[in-house]
Amino acid sequence: MSAAPPALPVFVPGDYKTDLKPVWCPGCGDFGVLTALYRAMAELQLTPELTAVVSGIGCSSRLPGYVETYGFNTVHGRALPLATGVAVSRPDVKVIAVGGDGDGLAIGGNHFMHSARRNLDVTYILMDNEIYGLTKGQVAPTTPTGDKTKTTHYGNPEPAVDPCELAISFGATWVGRAFSGDLKGTVELIVKALRHRGFAFLNVMSPCVTWRGDDQFKSLKAKARPLPAGHDVTSRFEAFKFTRETDVLSTGVLYDVKSPSLNDRLDTIKVTARAGAPLVTVPEIVKTFLPSF
Amino acid sequence: MSRRDLTIAMVGAGGDGIVTMGDILSQAGARNGLNVIKTEAYGPQIRGGESSCVVRLSPSAIYEQGDAVDVLVVFSWADFGRFKGEVQPAPNAVVLFDEADPVARTREDLGIGADGHWLAVPFSKLAGDAGAKGSKNVVGLGVLTALFGLAEETIRRAVVKRFGRKKAAVGELALKAYEAGLVHGGTLPPMPERGLTFTPGPAKLLMSGNEASALGALHAGCRFFAGYPITPSTEILQFAEEWLPKMGGSVVQTEDELAAIGAVVGASFAGVKSMTATSGPGLSLMTEMLGLASMAEVPCVVVDVQRGGPSTGLPTKSEQSDLWQAVFAGHGDAPRVVIAASDVEDCFHTTVEAFNIAEEFQVPVIVLTDQSIGQRRETLDPTRLVHDVVDRAVPTAEELVEYKRYRDTPDGYSPMSVPGLKGGIYQTNGLEHDEFGRPASMAHVHETMNAKRYRKLKPIRDRYQRARRYGPAKADLGIVCWGSSKGAVKEAVLMAEERGEKVAAFIPQMIFPFPVKAFEEFRASVRQLLVIEISYAAQFYKYLRTFTTLPDNTIIFKRSGGKNLTISEVDDQIRRFFASGSQQKGAA
Ligand SMILES: Cc1ncc(C[n+]2csc(CCOP(=O)(O)OP(=O)(O)O)c2C)c(N)n1
Ligand code: SF4
């Protein structure tokens, strides 16, 4: 009889926790996202040293510090470029980008568009609180029109964007929406997002109790309900029916299609470029600069 | 006496094949082991339009493009007018122009004296007769070969290679045009004293500074490149995109420079050597991320191929005006390293050095080159492209016990773990942090960690006191310049030496941390200083004053870019200095 294979380590959610205490306000929605992430990672048994969590700047962007993987809390709006570097240069590393709505949609909006378009091999979790939390309450791209904030004393004059609608339009191949008050649902969606190959975008409505008051949580809780069974996740058109809702907040997988990821395409390029030849060396490249006649 | 070298300038309209003509001349030169420098200039049109090409050929070493043109070939006088002040024939130059040109110019217009030659050549007619109407340029090559003793057989092979590549018949027509030019050249007044005499040697590489920078990166082990196109740096991105996949690496053309440097920092954090290249406006966009790289101590390399600024400025022309931005632009106290390349070969070496410093000390390193060296082609000896490579130190098993990413070490840098290393997991950030990388905003932590990060500059300064010094150990005039000014300065110093004038030059490769000691030794060895730079604001002169004192009698020669520093400009400064007699006065 052959010997039993050595037991693999089994990770429980707590293994993904660092000993750093979150700076978030008590009751902040981001706690729910963090807890859901620990559970999702445990469910998938992600190897900590082969996982990287990258963020920009904001309350939500503090999250990498609380996850026991390689982590990098970078500069405002640039989580996705950093994630691009990690994901492309180290395809063996599972890359998770996180951040707030200001970080991802205002200052980092350009990167959101292009990361989605490239079908970057990254799971991007956006904690949408419809406000700038860290800078203490200014209007954000997702703040509803008319809302009063620190920089919209007379009501927000601008329309808000829907992050999921943007992601789908930009070419994301997996788009979901969650509510951090629904832990079970959020865990399920993070698991699905992490399983997806290519750019998976999860917008988590994550209330800011400090700058949006208790009302935001209450209203989100009242509005949140699962997407109807039988929603066609392969249809942009069907997905857009839910991205403009106002009275309800449909959670679940809005969109899910298969398409080669950026790393798939770059792998193909590497194969085509080499055409079966061994890796090129620098002296070989140097030779191409010698006149050959 | 045979000539030391030959500078040939060619000017024509779009479609005249000026660039091809320059390519063939320089490739043939490289093939025969001559030293070659080739530069090109274009009109503002994206495609077509006037172009000019200057090729300098020499059996002995050359360091800069020749500015007094020995031979001028003009296919179109109207287009020549558009390069006013950029292409200047010497008074004794040989000028060859198309006899069919509807625009007429006289030798007086161009200042060609009695010892020059003013020759109308039927370039278009000979091309037409050969059955290859568009091959004035090849006819021109034939004429040049006959007149100036160029290597006939080598050029013939180069012509066949270039034109017969796709269709053998096209190659044959081109050959006919070449022969027609040779025959016509034989009918012109012979001028053997003008010809180049040389013995062919082993072939040399012909490469641009941008290609050399990219090659240096690959040699250093760079396997990830991200960039956003910007003139005059784009060739680096293009080169990386072509070759990196064949080496198992990857390239991303990002949406902007913010993303480019972000991806580079991300890849480097992930343990892969990475680089981006840009020009002034792009470097401005990268500034915030350089602060992060400094704070999080992530190695990264940025090549800035300077152009004339601000803003779009002179996007196709050179200037040395990103110096302050490279050294000083940024928020907070954030150590970085700035080094400068001075010629094509140096682009290779400085880029490798940049990686070595970045990887060992975990700092961002900016390499300053500029359009003049980035885009010119130069011959290189293939055996010179060697340079030791330093790799990042990963933590040992011992260091992984209670791993501290930012351990406060005597030299300031601490072993950097990479994803995949089990005991080396850490979370980092741009926040001030403790030795573990945990956010910590107490004043004393900030002070300690600033000191740790800045401490790295000391070993860098000590080990990389890189500066070039030319000329006698004691000199009357000491020229201080940087970057691409080296070529013109070095040639002018050699010319002064021939005249018996004592001129030395000091050219730092390491810009920041500035090699103060080496500079001060130089300053003490000369009677008077002359600072030369291509920056209207005199950025270098003022930069020097930040780190050292300069005597009151220091002479400054500075001007805006748009035109590269020429040997004659430097020579003129030297002659003036000796003519004024001030070499007696200055304190040693
Ligand atoms: C370049 C730059 N501009 C501005 C800021 C200030 N800033 C920090 S976080 C933030 C917005 C935070 O809002 P969001 O991204 O929605 O995250 P939240 O705090 O709500 O989680 C701003 C404007 C900064 N850090 N960097
Ligand atoms: S300010 Fe808002 S978003 Fe920030 S931690 Fe507090 S509750 Fe959360």
Side-chain angles (χ1 to χ4, degrees), chain A residues 23-30 59-60 129 131 133-134 206-211:
Chain A
V23 289
W24 297 322
C25 312
C28 173
D30 296 350
C59 296
S60 43
N129 54 13
I131 195 84
L134 189 70
S206 180
C208 169
V209 290
T210 303
W211 305 110

Side-chain angles (χ1 to χ4, degrees), chain B residues 479-558:
Chain B
I479 301 179
V480 192
C481 68
W482 72 283
S484 65
S485 301
K486 182 195 83 177
V489 167
K490 186 168 179 185
E491 292 218 18
V493 167
L494 290 173
M495 284 158 69
E497 191 182 288
E498 278 179 23
R499 295 194 294 267
E501 294 161 353
K502 289 200 153 149
V503 185
F506 178 87
I507 303 144
Q509 281 165 284
M510 180 59 83
I511 300 292
F512 186 85
F514 189 70
V516 175
K517 206 169 136 258
F519 174 76
E520 286 176 350
E521 278 165 20
F522 176 79
R523 190 186 54 198
S525 74
V526 300
R527 284 189 186 278
Q528 194 162 350
L529 289 176
L530 163 62
V531 179
I532 294 183
E533 63 179 309
I534 303 298
S535 152
Y536 183 84
Q539 292 192 11
F540 184 55
Y541 168 73
K542 290 171 190 162
Y543 178 72
L544 289 172
R545 291 196 359 191
T546 310
F547 295 101
T548 181
T549 47
L550 295 181
D552 290 344
N553 64 359
T554 299
I555 310 163
I556 308 165
F557 176 71
K558 54 95 181 172

Side-chain angles (χ1 to χ4, degrees), chain B residues 300-584:
Chain B
C300 62
V301 176
V302 181
V303 176
D304 172 10
V305 187
Q306 299 169 95
R307 64 191 211 179
S311 190
T312 304
L314 307 173
T316 59
K317 295 180 175 173
S318 209
E319 199 163 80
Q320 296 180 306
S321 51
D322 284 351
L323 177 67
W324 288 348
Q325 145 158 278
V327 178
F328 300 121
H331 52 281
D333 297 321
R336 68 176 71 161
V337 173
V338 181
I339 56 183
S342 60
D343 60 27
V344 171
E345 185 188 314
D346 210 28
C347 285
F348 174 86
H349 296 294
T350 37
T351 310
V352 184
E353 200 104 295
F355 272 97
N356 288 352
I357 295 171
E359 293 292 325
E360 180 170 2
F361 300 96
Q362 300 164 27
V363 281
V365 180
I366 298 172
V367 183
L368 289 174
T369 77
D370 61 32
Q371 185 278 335
S372 76
I373 52 175
Q375 292 193 322
R376 84 177 181 213
R377 278 178 193 280
E378 233 179 84
T379 40
L380 308 180
D381 178 348
T383 61
R384 305 259 313 157
L385 293 187
V386 286
H387 201 116
D388 287 347
V389 170
V390 176
D391 289 318
R392 198 181 299 181
V394 287
T396 59
E398 226 165 77
E399 286 162 335
L400 285 179
V401 180
E402 239 217 315
Y403 175 56
K404 285 179 175 166
R405 165 66 187 98
Y406 300 107
R407 194 155 50 86
D408 196 1
T409 60
D411 274 342
Y413 53 105
S414 2
M416 180 174 176
S417 170
V418 295
L421 210 55
K422 207 168 167 197
I425 287 178
Y426 67 98
Q427 296 80 39
T428 186
N429 45 63
L431 290 152
E432 187 54 280
H433 41 244
D434 63 15
E435 288 181 282
F436 289 98
R438 292 177 303 213
S441 57
M442 288 82 77
H444 72 93
V445 177
H446 190 38
E447 179 69 29
T448 306
M449 295 311 265
N450 259 339
K452 168 199 189 299
R453 290 186 292 266
Y454 268 89
R455 209 176 303 137
K456 299 182 210 175
L457 293 180
K458 190 178 167 350
I460 296 174
R461 192 185 285 118
D462 292 346
R463 279 173 38 200
Y464 293 89
Q465 278 276 326
R466 298 258 198 274
R468 292 188 169 84
R469 192 195 188 286
Y470 302 122
K474 291 233 172 278
D476 292 314
L477 182 64
I479 301 179
V480 192
C481 68
W482 72 283
S484 65
S485 301
K486 182 195 83 177
V489 167
K490 186 168 179 185
E491 292 218 18
V493 167
L494 290 173
M495 284 158 69
E497 191 182 288
E498 278 179 23
R499 295 194 294 267
E501 294 161 353
K502 289 200 153 149
V503 185
F506 178 87
I507 303 144
Q509 281 165 284
M510 180 59 83
I511 300 292
F512 186 85
F514 189 70
V516 175
K517 206 169 136 258
F519 174 76
E520 286 176 350
E521 278 165 20
F522 176 79
R523 190 186 54 198
S525 74
V526 300
R527 284 189 186 278
Q528 194 162 350
L529 289 176
L530 163 62
V531 179
I532 294 183
E533 63 179 309
I534 303 298
S535 152
Y536 183 84
Q539 292 192 11
F540 184 55
Y541 168 73
K542 290 171 190 162
Y543 178 72
L544 289 172
R545 291 196 359 191
T546 310
F547 295 101
T548 181
T549 47
L550 295 181
D552 290 344
N553 64 359
T554 299
I555 310 163
I556 308 165
F557 176 71
K558 54 95 181 172
R559 62 163 171 80
S560 304
K563 196 177 115 186
N564 299 339
L565 180 69
T566 63
I567 303 165
S568 343
E569 277 176 306
V570 183
D571 185 53
D572 187 51
Q573 289 298 316
I574 297 174
R575 285 174 191 270
R576 270 185 211 210
F577 170 79
F578 285 98
S580 72
S582 50
Q583 76 275 20
Q584 270 94 38

